[in-house]
Every structure is written in structure tokens, then in C-alpha cells.
Amino acid sequence: MDTLTIRRPDDWHLHLRDGAMLRTVAPLSAGFGRALVMPNLVPPVTTGAMAAAYRERIRAAGFARPLMTLYLTEETDPADVVRAHADGTIAAVKLYPAGATTNSASGVRDWDRIRPVVDAMEEHGVPLCLHGEVTDPEVDIFDRELRFLDTRLAPLRDMHPGLRITLEHITTADAVSWVLDHGVGATITVQHLMADRNDMLAVGLRPHHYCLPVLKRRRHRDALRHAATSGAKNFFLGTDSAPHPQHAKEAACCAAGCFTAPHALAAYAQVFDEEGALGKLEGFASLHGPAHYRLEPNADTVTLRRGEPLELPAHHGGDPRVVPFDPGHPIRWHVDA
Ligand code: DOR
Ligand code: ZN
């Protein structure tokens, strides 16, 4: 199969930032229809009014169909969340454990304090997206997702059995099993399908491979590839494309995030091709996500073609410059304009 036409995919986890970075990256999500946009700005997008204003800035910058999220804090007003979801301003709420990742300082420390807002979300069907890592400095960075499943997610699920949950950017075989056992949704990034921690650390240190949750060992990458290409409806496409200026990545203390938006769709197609599963790409990229969020799939289509290896630019943008994630092996698929 050298060409593939599928319903237009959506990106269920995207960082677009604000200001000059927003203007650089907003036009670059090649091939995607809608995108669920993360709220970890400075200051974070914590109210329905802030989400509505941010949505307009995104559209003005060149991304036409953003779906908005609210950043959950211990002060979040349940009534504002319910109202913003009911009137279509937001599609979901994002929970960052405080300190887990970029701009997560306003996130959740004391999980008892978010009980009322999560109760309201459960009652009104508002989806919750989770950054699934514990932040205890005593817990090894490679174990933080696994520990989250046991100590945070399992109790949350028990307390709120009707809550609509997306476990974001899963990175381990353990998370794959948990998602299937509990019937929740999960996004998978393309860097976690294409690379493992050796790719990041074994031949020098590659800052553009560094993201959170951090890349894991090969057997986890392979479990994610199996999950994504299995056809299970729990798993869907979320790039977590997270642009940082080149100087913040190529630094003594490197910022977390891989910038994949422009070539992510081609790269997912490459992975599905390598797995002999191109027939499952449409479900993962275009159907399971809308079903999870109770939206219609896109009506239009996109065509992918196999050809010469994609040539990635050294960087996108001028000020700021953003370096794309290069998996280090050929991406032979191209998205028709
Ligand atoms: O690598 C990451 N970058 N992981 C996240 O969870 C946040 C993101 C960012 O905003 O830079
Ligand atoms: Zn993210």
C-alpha cells in the first residue's frame, strides 16, 4: 500500500503556547483537523473566560479548530467548569500534579481539595485529562507513571467511577494494561512509539528527545506500539507536541518537550507501516478520539503517500526558533497538502 486515505485525524493533546511562539507553531499542525489544546500557559488558563480568550488568539494565529481545556487548580470553581463545558467553551479539564512538568506549579498538591470539582465533573460528564506521574522526589523518574497508577489513579477511579478519564501520553506497558483493564481513554505520542531511552541517552545526550513522561526502555515502547496498532478504542492520537525555543532545549538544563506537530502524522503512519498495521491508523488517528470525547469524526479526509524519506528542516520559525524531533530513522510517509 503506497497511498492511504483516511478521515482527517485530530490531535487530542497539543501545546500551542502564546505570543510569538503561538504565531510560529499555530499554522504548523500538518494534516490535523481539531486539536485539544493544553492550558499550561504562564499564567495558566484557569477559567472559562480565559479559555474563550485564548481560543480567539489561537484562531487569529492560524489554527482554525482548537478545542479548549481548563487548567485544574485547588481553587477551581466547579460552577465555572460545568458552565464552560455546557456552553461548548471547553472540551475537557487538565490535571497536572504540581511540579510534574512544564508550568505545572499551579497544579494539584492536595487531592482532597479538588474533590468538589471532580464530583461536579463526574455528575455533568466533563472529561478529565491527566498528566499521570507522581512528583515525589524520592520516586525514580522512570517509575513515576507506574507509581501514579497505583497511588493516584486507582483511588481516583474508585472514588469517581463515572468520571470520563483520559490518561495522557502513556509511556509504559503497565499503563497500557491499566487503561484496558479499567476502560479509560489514553493518548500516545509519536516519540514514545518511535524512540526509547537508549535513543535519548546512549549515543550522547539528545535534548530534542527529552520530554515528560520521559522515554522508557524498549519493551515499553513495544507495548505502546502494540496498543496503538491493536485497534482497541481506548487508544488514540495525541502528539503532546511541545515547542520550546532552541536555546531552552540545547541548554545545561534542558526544557521537557518534543516538537512534532509538522511531521507527526507522517511519523505515526511510518510506525503503523512498520507494524504492518496501516489498516488500523484511521481508528487510532481519526475515530477513537472523537468517540471518547463524544464528537463526530471529521467529515473530510486526508491522503498519505509513501515516498522518499522526509527531510526535516533544521528548525522552524525565526524568532523563536524551534527544532523538530528527529527520530533518527527514515519517515517515508508524506501528508498531501
Ligand atoms: O515534555 C513535556 N512538555 N511534557 C509535558 O507534560 C508538558 C510539555 C510542555 O508543556 O512543555
Ligand atoms: Zn502535554
Side-chain angles (χ1 to χ4, degrees), residues 79-102:
D80 186 49
V81 169
V82 170
R83 191 167 50 235
H85 183 254
D87 71 14
T89 305
I90 63 162
V93 170
K94 177 70 185 275
L95 188 162
Y96 291 100
T101 188
T102 309

Side-chain angles (χ1 to χ4, degrees), residues 9 36 38-39 41 81 97 104 118 145 150 213 229 245 250 268 293 304:
L36 189 64
M38 293 298 124
L41 306 183
V81 169
S104 61
V118 180
E145 182 176 275
D150 297 335
T229 59
E250 298 172 11
Y268 281 108
Y293 285 103
L304 294 145

Side-chain angles (χ1 to χ4, degrees), residues 36-173:
L36 189 64
V37 179
M38 293 298 124
N40 59 333
L41 306 183
V42 187
V45 180
T46 51
T47 66
M50 291 173 84
Y54 183 33
R55 181 171 58 189
E56 293 320 308
R57 297 198 295 282
I58 292 169
R59 286 180 178 149
F63 189 84
R65 299 171 65 203
L67 298 170
M68 307 309 293
T69 57
L70 276 194
Y71 186 120
L72 184 63
T73 75
E74 292 173 9
E75 277 74 49
T76 299
D77 172 11
D80 186 49
V81 169
V82 170
R83 191 167 50 235
H85 183 254
D87 71 14
T89 305
I90 63 162
V93 170
K94 177 70 185 275
L95 188 162
Y96 291 100
T101 188
T102 309
N103 301 334
S104 61
S106 312
V108 176
R109 285 188 174 73
D110 179 353
W111 287 56
D112 288 336
R113 294 192 58 192
I114 59 166
R115 186 86 193 259
V117 66
V118 180
D119 278 338
M121 290 171 60
E122 183 180 16
E123 187 187 338
H124 294 274
V126 184
L128 177 66
C129 301
L130 290 159
H131 183 109
E133 290 190 287
V134 297
T135 54
D136 179 350
E138 294 303 312
V139 177
D140 189 274
I141 185 93
F142 292 104
D143 298 332
R144 288 182 181 187
E145 182 176 275
L146 174 60
R147 191 67 72 87
F148 183 87
L149 301 175
D150 297 335
T151 65
R152 290 294 182 205
L153 192 51
L156 181 76
R157 179 81 176 159
D158 288 346
M159 218 177 283
H160 304 280
L163 185 63
R164 299 169 61 194
I165 291 174
T166 314
L167 188 56
E168 298 291 341
H169 41 51
I170 59 170
T171 64
T172 58

